Amino acid sequence: MPKDRRTPGPAPRPVAAALDEVDQELVRLLTADGRMPNNALAEATGIAPSTCLTRVRALRERGVIRGFHADVDLAALGQPLQAMVAIRIGAHSRDEIDRFRHQAPRLPGVLALYHVSGANDYLLHVAAASPDALREFVLDHLTADPAVSHAETSLIFEHVRGIPTS
């Protein structure tokens, strides 16, 4: 590959050092409840609170823990309908892909954008107020996009959040 050519997507991250059992348990506990107090984390893992605080800080600095997020009830916000929209990009030019990757997460109702392998290029996790609002979103923002050659919508009936294990 020539030196001036970039690879698609974000720059690769360095591989993190392996996590020991305590770090893995801290990550598991914080994934289940990101607001778990330090003293409860320390007690659950059998370490001192000061050690726990140091370990959690180190996990954040190493990029293992990237942030803490609220698990929001979308229905309470007036967006009870969720869907995954599979997207195929027509012309695989760097400019079109970069433009789509930059624009898609900023569209109204987009919860996440996934770059995937296979027949589709991206999956968009979206929320909408109604089936009509979802249809309008797809028509106005996706099928109208010149980079998008195909959009296929799958409704999400249920979402169960996983908790990573070792």
Side-chain angles (χ1 to χ4, degrees):
M1 179 182 274
K3 281 187 175 182
D4 60 339
R5 178 146 176 137
R6 301 181 318 195
T7 59
R13 289 192 196 148
V15 177
L19 302 179
D20 66 16
E21 289 181 22
V22 173
D23 284 344
Q24 289 178 22
E25 183 64 5
L26 287 169
V27 170
R28 188 190 70 73
L29 291 166
L30 287 170
T31 300
D33 179 4
R35 293 182 55 144
M36 190 172 191
N38 185 64
N39 60 347
L41 282 170
E43 185 176 326
T45 54
I47 59 177
S50 59
T51 302
C52 184
L53 190 61
T54 300
R55 281 180 172 257
V56 171
R57 184 175 296 129
L59 289 167
R60 291 186 71 196
E61 289 170 356
R62 290 171 50 198
V64 175
I65 296 174
R66 296 184 302 198
F68 298 92
H69 310 280
D71 184 8
V72 177
D73 179 359
L74 295 170
L77 299 178
Q79 295 187 309
L81 185 67
Q82 292 184 56
M84 293 299 278
V85 184
I87 300 294
R88 270 186 231 139
I89 302 295
H92 284 99
S93 74
R94 171 52 110 183
D95 290 341
E96 283 298 300
I97 290 171
D98 284 347
R99 185 190 59 74
F100 184 81
R101 280 185 65 238
H102 177 76
Q103 177 185 345
R106 291 162 178 74
L107 294 173
V110 172
L111 303 173
L113 172 68
Y114 303 95
H115 189 185
V116 297
S117 66
N120 298 301
D121 298 302
Y122 291 95
L123 291 175
L124 262 66
H125 181 191
V126 300
S130 67
D132 288 339
L134 178 60
R135 180 179 52 82
E136 293 301 316
F137 169 81
V138 171
L139 291 174
D140 293 346
H141 297 289
L142 300 178
T143 60
D145 188 318
V148 174
S149 66
H150 179 78
E152 182 178 333
T153 304
S154 298
L155 294 181
I156 297 172
F157 293 123
E158 182 180 22
H159 172 239
V160 179
R161 188 171 167 221
I163 298 175
T165 59
S166 53

